[in-house]
Amino acid sequence: IIVFLSIVLAYFLYYGINNSHKRTQMLTKLALISLGGGIGSALRFYVGYGVVSILPSQYLHYSFIATFCINMLACFGIGLCVAMIKGQDSLLFVFLTIGLLGGFSTFSTFSLEVLKLLQNHCILTAMLYMLLSNICGILCVYLGYVFKG
């Protein structure tokens, strides 16, 4: 269903853009995001597996350690991309941040958004965003879990 909805969305975006140059740019970005997302997801699996495999057996139930490591690597990666790549509309930036790091972890995007809010002196908004994201995120995970049927 998700793949079908993505194709339908891409179709409407493609034909909704009248300028052929913009249409080509959008499709190129969409392809790079898809490629990066696939690579990022595979990396998440392998890094998570790697972290869990080095944990002593008495700590194997602490799989959150792998998730924490992945999230922190992604945060470091998105910070590095923002610092090193000029032009956040560039294909490399889109591939790495939205695609690769987006597939690897969305926590990095959340962290970058909080940092931008803080840099713009929106302290209350940043705090509220952090608080609501965590509380609502946990609530949504719970709701998804109990919704199972």
Side-chain angles (χ1 to χ4, degrees), residues 20-113:
S20 65
H21 177 68
K22 285 185 181 181
R23 189 179 313 152
T24 302
Q25 276 185 321
M26 190 273 301
L27 287 177
T28 302
K29 287 179 182 180
L30 187 60
L32 288 172
I33 290 166
S34 298
L35 177 65
I39 294 169
S41 296
L43 281 173
R44 180 181 180 86
F45 171 77
Y46 285 114
V47 171
Y49 181 80
V51 169
V52 169
S53 70
I54 63 172
L55 290 175
S57 60
Q58 68 265 28
Y59 297 112
L60 289 181
H61 59 283
Y62 292 121
S63 63
F64 70 86
I65 294 171
T67 301
F68 179 80
C69 291
I70 289 165
N71 287 340
M72 295 308 106
L73 281 171
C75 288
F76 177 79
I78 203 166
L80 194 62
C81 288
V82 168
M84 295 185 70
I85 302 171
K86 301 302 175 210
Q88 294 188 4
D89 198 37
S90 75
L91 295 179
L92 180 62
F93 187 84
V94 167
F95 171 76
L96 290 174
T97 59
I98 300 171
L100 189 107
L101 292 172
F104 192 60
S105 165
T106 58
F107 187 74
S108 58
T109 303
F110 165 75
S111 298
L112 178 63
E113 291 169 346

